Amino acid sequence: MLCKVGFLALLALALVCECGAWKKRGRWGNRRRPAYGKFRDFAKPWHGEDVAEEKSGLEKEPKPTKGTEATREGFKKEFNFKLDLDFDDLAESWKDIIDAGKKELKGAKKWWDKDFFKQLMWKASGSWWKGPNVCVSRSESNETTDDSEITHHVSLQSSVCDDTGTTYTCTARMSAYGLKKTFTTVHECCHGFEREKDKLGCTKELDLVDLIATARRLEATKFVQAVQSTGLTETLYSSNVTMFVPTDEAFEKYFKTSLPVPVPRDSPGKSILITKDLEKMANEMEVLMESHLVEGRVKTSSFKDEQLLDTIYEPSKIRINLYQRPEQIITANCARVTSSDHQATNGVIHVVDKVLKPTTLTVMDIVSKDSQLSSLKTVLGQAGLVKTLKQEGQYTLLAPTNAAFAKLAPESRKKLMNGQNCLANVLKYHILSNVICSAIIQGKIKTQNVLDTFVNLTRTEGKFFADGAQIVARDIMGTNGVVHIIDAVLIPQEALSVWEIAEKEGATKALDLMNTAGLLTEFEKLDDVTLFLPTNNAFEKLPNSAMRALLESPRDARELFQYHIATPKKQSKDLRKGTTISTILGPNITMNEYISVPFGLKYIQTAQCSGIVKKNLEGCNGVVHLVDQILVPPVGDILKTLKSDTYGNFSRLLTLLLTTGLDKELQTGELTLFAPTNQAFEYIYREIGEDRDQLKALLKHHMVQQRLCCAGIFRRHFPFGQTVKAMDRKFLSLNRNRYNVPTVGDAYITSCDTMATNGIIHVIDRVLTPRKSWV
């Protein structure tokens, strides 16, 4: 401890001395620091005989104030040196740059020399595109809004710049008066030049040759042979062309038979192709090669995601895709671009890992022409998706084969082929929103489909899967997307009906009861519904007599289940506290929410006081919420519900309500009534006087002006207590005992959540008497 105190004392003394020295040198106070360019903030005084003192070429120095003479002389020494260094030898940090300058003081340009300063500033800022041999291209695009639309005077501007190391692109967007403009500026090395590391601009001049020679340099010998055999050599010599060149390995995989043998067109013989049908093969080869060629020089700097490039073979296009995750790659017709921007005197070459087949068919045309996809063609027509897959777009279709449809359960297959069973959702799940090539599938990834859900794509040991279905043929390119053929039909939850979801979630007792009553076929036709479905545990709570009554009376079963089906479809976020939703039976279902804070972090959402144990199970014709109790339709208001008790357990309570005139209170408003039974009144019957006001206050102590379900009563944790205000303006304490039985005051709640149209009844075993409490 003493050591620490001593150290702090010495540190404080050192700071005082240093502050005094600064003040003496004029570095405190109102002095203005001399402006010696941008370097003044990092320069440090140098001392020694090797510092050459000569007058600098600085412009007019600022007039010194009091106490700055020594400082000015120090700054003169700091900057009055010469450098004889090449920029490449300078280190990255400012300290290293200055240290290097100390060693080379004579025979160099001054630090403020224009070229040196330019290089130094570029190295600090990284603005390589401001150097030599950098070409700039600019483009502008306009977009107008609907003239019939009412617009306000709003002007918006934004600008984004991106530096890839070889290209610097700035995109500015402007929106005003209903007109949207986009300006794009691209800085890149001029043709024939490329960047050198840590150099300003593009300083390396390339030794360019023609496209054929450049392809040979890239060891694309098979492609060169194919081009020469088709007579396209003249085209490649006479015009600027961008070539997507497959590797030799890609050619060997593509051609299962022998490759064309290159024989010059001006040779005594004709070009020889070792195939069965020479003429047909020659035509096909020419089309194939033209499908790799694009007019003009197209570098990767001008590539855009989902861009379509017109090839020399006019019907065919090359689709460019740019992926950032899980890996940054470029694809051309789903062939990976392995190396790019190889410049030639008359074009550019991009090397790809596949042969690019001519792309002339739409995704729908691909399905129509493939006999193994005839079942898919049928269901696409029934779902009205043929037009979608024929129009321009950027789709990925996961196409199940006929064998995949055959593997479905007979009932499911019949419904699908007949256009039922939420067919549109099943098929939309197979259509992805963007072109997803197999090259980007690494490990496990997910991507969105047109159903706004996600499909999991996986690559394992060289095999590709989509949600467990194997991709047996991949990257079949169309003009508006790509097709991957899979060996199973994908049935997502969103494509299931609410009844299929119920079966999947194991709510079998409810389904069996509906099926026995002959209701399931009728209910399957419903659409846009919210289903509050009791779990199997909820039915196990029913007495055997009640279960038998439901089985024996289809009418009662119908009414019971109709009360569990509401319209329209509602997610849990739309069912907040106090919300009501109408059922197909008629009476509404009232929603409530309870949070256990500070008694825990439990959030409970209820429907007619039944807790929702699993929510938002969305199907194609509605949504399912699983509840832990059976919802019983209310027979009427609270007063009518008390009178309907078959055993007459509340006769004394009803007598007192009529005597005090509070019976009308139970017919209106939103209330919770803690209802003592006749047995509960036995304990205090003699203590109850005949004073009407006292009786009224006693009964109001049992009424709460809100809906309070038993699910909203939590076990208290000291020092917190849960209370609720009764209609007599006194508080009732709420709790649960160690057996999780809810209590109010000193009474146990023996029966929870008897629902009425205007509130809730909880049966209690004691009369609640007002008394002072610290709770």
Side-chain angles (χ1 to χ4, degrees), residues 139-143 154-162 169-186 303-305:
S139 61
E140 176 183 339
S141 62
N142 299 327
E143 180 184 347
V154 178
S155 179
L156 301 174
Q157 296 183 17
S158 65
S159 180
V160 178
C161 294
D162 179 39
T169 306
C170 285
T171 304
R173 293 179 176 87
M174 178 188 297
S175 176
Y177 301 105
L179 178 66
K180 296 180 180 179
K181 287 196 171 190
T182 301
F183 304 91
T184 304
T185 304
V186 179
F303 283 177
K304 297 180 179 63
D305 190 37

Short mmCIF file of all heavy atoms in Angstrom, two decimals, residues 139-143 154-162 169-186 303-305:
data_model
loop_
_atom_site.label_atom_id
_atom_site.label_comp_id
_atom_site.label_asym_id
_atom_site.label_seq_id
_atom_site.Cartn_x
_atom_site.Cartn_y
_atom_site.Cartn_z
N SER A 139 -22.45 6.95 -65.51
CA SER A 139 -23.74 6.56 -66.08
C SER A 139 -24.85 7.18 -65.26
O SER A 139 -24.67 7.51 -64.09
CB SER A 139 -23.88 5.03 -66.10
OG SER A 139 -23.83 4.50 -64.78
N GLU A 140 -25.99 7.30 -65.89
CA GLU A 140 -27.15 7.92 -65.24
C GLU A 140 -28.40 7.14 -65.61
O GLU A 140 -28.58 6.73 -66.76
CB GLU A 140 -27.29 9.38 -65.69
CG GLU A 140 -28.51 10.09 -65.16
CD GLU A 140 -28.64 11.51 -65.70
OE1 GLU A 140 -27.62 12.07 -66.15
OE2 GLU A 140 -29.77 12.04 -65.68
N SER A 141 -29.26 6.91 -64.64
CA SER A 141 -30.53 6.24 -64.90
C SER A 141 -31.64 7.02 -64.24
O SER A 141 -31.47 7.59 -63.16
CB SER A 141 -30.50 4.80 -64.36
OG SER A 141 -30.31 4.79 -62.96
N ASN A 142 -32.79 7.05 -64.91
CA ASN A 142 -33.94 7.79 -64.42
C ASN A 142 -35.10 6.85 -64.15
O ASN A 142 -35.28 5.84 -64.83
CB ASN A 142 -34.38 8.85 -65.44
CG ASN A 142 -33.29 9.87 -65.70
OD1 ASN A 142 -32.53 10.20 -64.80
ND2 ASN A 142 -33.21 10.36 -66.93
N GLU A 143 -35.88 7.20 -63.15
CA GLU A 143 -37.08 6.44 -62.82
C GLU A 143 -38.17 7.43 -62.44
O GLU A 143 -37.97 8.29 -61.58
CB GLU A 143 -36.81 5.49 -61.65
CG GLU A 143 -38.02 4.67 -61.25
CD GLU A 143 -37.74 3.80 -60.03
OE1 GLU A 143 -36.57 3.65 -59.67
OE2 GLU A 143 -38.71 3.30 -59.44
N VAL A 154 -40.77 16.60 -51.59
CA VAL A 154 -39.75 15.96 -50.76
C VAL A 154 -38.53 15.73 -51.62
O VAL A 154 -38.61 15.17 -52.71
CB VAL A 154 -40.25 14.62 -50.18
CG1 VAL A 154 -39.15 13.97 -49.36
CG2 VAL A 154 -41.50 14.83 -49.34
N SER A 155 -37.38 16.19 -51.13
CA SER A 155 -36.13 16.00 -51.86
C SER A 155 -35.19 15.17 -51.00
O SER A 155 -34.89 15.52 -49.85
CB SER A 155 -35.49 17.35 -52.17
OG SER A 155 -34.27 17.17 -52.85
N LEU A 156 -34.74 14.05 -51.56
CA LEU A 156 -33.85 13.14 -50.84
C LEU A 156 -32.59 12.90 -51.65
O LEU A 156 -32.65 12.76 -52.87
CB LEU A 156 -34.54 11.81 -50.57
CG LEU A 156 -35.84 11.85 -49.74
CD1 LEU A 156 -36.48 10.48 -49.70
CD2 LEU A 156 -35.56 12.35 -48.33
N GLN A 157 -31.45 12.86 -50.98
CA GLN A 157 -30.18 12.59 -51.64
C GLN A 157 -29.36 11.63 -50.79
O GLN A 157 -29.40 11.70 -49.56
CB GLN A 157 -29.38 13.89 -51.85
CG GLN A 157 -30.05 14.89 -52.78
CD GLN A 157 -29.19 16.12 -53.00
OE1 GLN A 157 -28.00 16.10 -52.74
NE2 GLN A 157 -29.81 17.19 -53.48
N SER A 158 -28.66 10.74 -51.46
CA SER A 158 -27.77 9.82 -50.74
C SER A 158 -26.60 9.47 -51.64
O SER A 158 -26.71 9.53 -52.87
CB SER A 158 -28.53 8.55 -50.33
OG SER A 158 -28.93 7.83 -51.47
N SER A 159 -25.49 9.12 -51.03
CA SER A 159 -24.30 8.76 -51.79
C SER A 159 -23.54 7.67 -51.06
O SER A 159 -23.35 7.74 -49.84
CB SER A 159 -23.40 9.99 -51.98
OG SER A 159 -22.25 9.65 -52.72
N VAL A 160 -23.14 6.64 -51.82
CA VAL A 160 -22.39 5.52 -51.25
C VAL A 160 -21.21 5.21 -52.16
O VAL A 160 -21.36 5.15 -53.38
CB VAL A 160 -23.28 4.26 -51.12
CG1 VAL A 160 -22.48 3.10 -50.57
CG2 VAL A 160 -24.47 4.54 -50.22
N CYS A 161 -20.04 5.04 -51.56
CA CYS A 161 -18.83 4.70 -52.32
C CYS A 161 -18.26 3.38 -51.83
O CYS A 161 -18.33 3.08 -50.63
CB CYS A 161 -17.79 5.81 -52.21
SG CYS A 161 -18.31 7.37 -52.97
N ASP A 162 -17.68 2.63 -52.75
CA ASP A 162 -17.15 1.31 -52.41
C ASP A 162 -15.82 1.11 -53.12
O ASP A 162 -15.71 1.33 -54.33
CB ASP A 162 -18.14 0.23 -52.85
CG ASP A 162 -17.63 -1.17 -52.55
OD1 ASP A 162 -17.01 -1.34 -51.49
OD2 ASP A 162 -17.83 -2.06 -53.38
N THR A 169 -16.13 2.74 -56.85
CA THR A 169 -17.44 3.06 -57.41
C THR A 169 -18.22 3.92 -56.44
O THR A 169 -18.33 3.59 -55.25
CB THR A 169 -18.24 1.77 -57.69
OG1 THR A 169 -17.46 0.91 -58.52
CG2 THR A 169 -19.55 2.08 -58.38
N CYS A 170 -18.78 5.02 -56.95
CA CYS A 170 -19.64 5.89 -56.15
C CYS A 170 -21.01 5.95 -56.81
O CYS A 170 -21.13 6.19 -58.01
CB CYS A 170 -19.06 7.29 -56.03
SG CYS A 170 -17.66 7.40 -54.88
N THR A 171 -22.03 5.73 -56.00
CA THR A 171 -23.41 5.77 -56.48
C THR A 171 -24.17 6.84 -55.71
O THR A 171 -24.25 6.79 -54.47
CB THR A 171 -24.11 4.42 -56.29
OG1 THR A 171 -23.34 3.40 -56.95
CG2 THR A 171 -25.51 4.43 -56.86
N ALA A 172 -24.69 7.82 -56.43
CA ALA A 172 -25.47 8.90 -55.82
C ALA A 172 -26.91 8.79 -56.29
O ALA A 172 -27.17 8.59 -57.48
CB ALA A 172 -24.88 10.26 -56.21
N ARG A 173 -27.83 8.92 -55.36
CA ARG A 173 -29.25 8.85 -55.68
C ARG A 173 -29.94 10.14 -55.26
O ARG A 173 -29.69 10.66 -54.18
CB ARG A 173 -29.89 7.66 -55.00
CG ARG A 173 -29.40 6.31 -55.51
CD ARG A 173 -30.05 5.15 -54.78
NE ARG A 173 -29.65 3.87 -55.35
CZ ARG A 173 -28.57 3.20 -54.99
NH1 ARG A 173 -27.77 3.71 -54.05
NH2 ARG A 173 -28.26 2.04 -55.55
N MET A 174 -30.83 10.59 -56.13
CA MET A 174 -31.56 11.82 -55.87
C MET A 174 -33.03 11.58 -56.20
O MET A 174 -33.36 10.97 -57.22
CB MET A 174 -31.00 12.96 -56.72
CG MET A 174 -31.75 14.27 -56.55
SD MET A 174 -31.20 15.52 -57.74
CE MET A 174 -29.50 15.71 -57.24
N SER A 175 -33.90 12.07 -55.33
CA SER A 175 -35.33 11.93 -55.55
C SER A 175 -36.01 13.26 -55.27
O SER A 175 -35.87 13.81 -54.17
CB SER A 175 -35.91 10.84 -54.63
OG SER A 175 -37.30 10.75 -54.77
N ALA A 176 -36.71 13.80 -56.27
CA ALA A 176 -37.41 15.07 -56.11
C ALA A 176 -38.49 15.19 -57.18
O ALA A 176 -38.29 14.77 -58.33
CB ALA A 176 -36.44 16.25 -56.20
N TYR A 177 -39.62 15.73 -56.79
CA TYR A 177 -40.73 16.00 -57.72
C TYR A 177 -41.16 14.73 -58.48
O TYR A 177 -41.48 14.78 -59.66
CB TYR A 177 -40.36 17.10 -58.71
CG TYR A 177 -39.99 18.40 -58.06
CD1 TYR A 177 -38.66 18.80 -57.98
CD2 TYR A 177 -40.97 19.22 -57.50
CE1 TYR A 177 -38.31 20.00 -57.37
CE2 TYR A 177 -40.62 20.42 -56.89
CZ TYR A 177 -39.31 20.80 -56.83
OH TYR A 177 -38.98 21.98 -56.20
N GLY A 178 -41.13 13.59 -57.80
CA GLY A 178 -41.57 12.37 -58.44
C GLY A 178 -40.56 11.75 -59.39
O GLY A 178 -40.86 10.76 -60.05
N LEU A 179 -39.38 12.34 -59.51
CA LEU A 179 -38.34 11.81 -60.40
C LEU A 179 -37.20 11.27 -59.55
O LEU A 179 -36.71 11.94 -58.64
CB LEU A 179 -37.83 12.90 -61.33
CG LEU A 179 -36.69 12.51 -62.29
CD1 LEU A 179 -37.17 11.47 -63.29
CD2 LEU A 179 -36.16 13.74 -63.02
N LYS A 180 -36.77 10.05 -59.87
CA LYS A 180 -35.64 9.45 -59.17
C LYS A 180 -34.49 9.28 -60.14
O LYS A 180 -34.67 8.71 -61.23
CB LYS A 180 -36.04 8.08 -58.59
CG LYS A 180 -37.12 8.17 -57.52
CD LYS A 180 -37.47 6.79 -56.98
CE LYS A 180 -38.54 6.88 -55.92
NZ LYS A 180 -38.91 5.54 -55.39
N LYS A 181 -33.33 9.78 -59.75
CA LYS A 181 -32.14 9.67 -60.60
C LYS A 181 -31.04 8.96 -59.83
O LYS A 181 -30.86 9.15 -58.63
CB LYS A 181 -31.65 11.05 -61.03
CG LYS A 181 -32.53 11.72 -62.07
CD LYS A 181 -31.80 12.88 -62.72
CE LYS A 181 -32.57 13.42 -63.92
NZ LYS A 181 -31.77 14.37 -64.70
N THR A 182 -30.29 8.14 -60.57
CA THR A 182 -29.14 7.46 -60.00
C THR A 182 -27.92 7.75 -60.86
O THR A 182 -27.94 7.52 -62.08
CB THR A 182 -29.39 5.94 -59.94
OG1 THR A 182 -30.56 5.69 -59.15
CG2 THR A 182 -28.21 5.22 -59.30
N PHE A 183 -26.88 8.27 -60.24
CA PHE A 183 -25.63 8.58 -60.93
C PHE A 183 -24.56 7.62 -60.41
O PHE A 183 -24.34 7.53 -59.20
CB PHE A 183 -25.19 10.02 -60.67
CG PHE A 183 -26.23 11.04 -61.05
CD1 PHE A 183 -27.16 11.48 -60.11
CD2 PHE A 183 -26.28 11.57 -62.33
CE1 PHE A 183 -28.12 12.42 -60.45
CE2 PHE A 183 -27.24 12.50 -62.67
CZ PHE A 183 -28.17 12.93 -61.74
N THR A 184 -23.89 6.94 -61.33
CA THR A 184 -22.85 6.00 -60.95
C THR A 184 -21.53 6.41 -61.60
O THR A 184 -21.47 6.62 -62.81
CB THR A 184 -23.21 4.57 -61.39
OG1 THR A 184 -24.48 4.22 -60.83
CG2 THR A 184 -22.17 3.57 -60.92
N THR A 185 -20.50 6.53 -60.78
CA THR A 185 -19.16 6.88 -61.25
C THR A 185 -18.21 5.75 -60.88
O THR A 185 -18.14 5.35 -59.71
CB THR A 185 -18.67 8.19 -60.63
OG1 THR A 185 -19.64 9.22 -60.90
CG2 THR A 185 -17.33 8.59 -61.19
N VAL A 186 -17.49 5.23 -61.89
CA VAL A 186 -16.59 4.10 -61.68
C VAL A 186 -15.17 4.53 -62.04
O VAL A 186 -14.91 5.02 -63.14
CB VAL A 186 -17.00 2.89 -62.53
CG1 VAL A 186 -16.04 1.73 -62.31
CG2 VAL A 186 -18.43 2.46 -62.20
N PHE A 303 -20.14 -5.44 -63.43
CA PHE A 303 -21.09 -6.51 -63.12
C PHE A 303 -22.09 -6.05 -62.06
O PHE A 303 -21.72 -5.36 -61.11
CB PHE A 303 -20.36 -7.76 -62.60
CG PHE A 303 -19.68 -8.57 -63.66
CD1 PHE A 303 -18.93 -9.69 -63.32
CD2 PHE A 303 -19.80 -8.25 -65.00
CE1 PHE A 303 -18.30 -10.45 -64.29
CE2 PHE A 303 -19.17 -8.99 -65.98
CZ PHE A 303 -18.42 -10.10 -65.62
N LYS A 304 -23.33 -6.47 -62.21
CA LYS A 304 -24.37 -6.24 -61.22
C LYS A 304 -25.08 -7.55 -60.96
O LYS A 304 -25.17 -8.41 -61.83
CB LYS A 304 -25.37 -5.19 -61.69
CG LYS A 304 -24.78 -3.81 -61.93
CD LYS A 304 -25.85 -2.84 -62.40
CE LYS A 304 -25.28 -1.43 -62.60
NZ LYS A 304 -24.27 -1.39 -63.66
N ASP A 305 -25.57 -7.69 -59.75
CA ASP A 305 -26.26 -8.93 -59.40
C ASP A 305 -27.52 -9.08 -60.26
O ASP A 305 -28.26 -8.11 -60.47
CB ASP A 305 -26.64 -8.92 -57.92
CG ASP A 305 -27.16 -10.27 -57.46
OD1 ASP A 305 -26.64 -11.29 -57.93
OD2 ASP A 305 -28.08 -10.29 -56.63
#
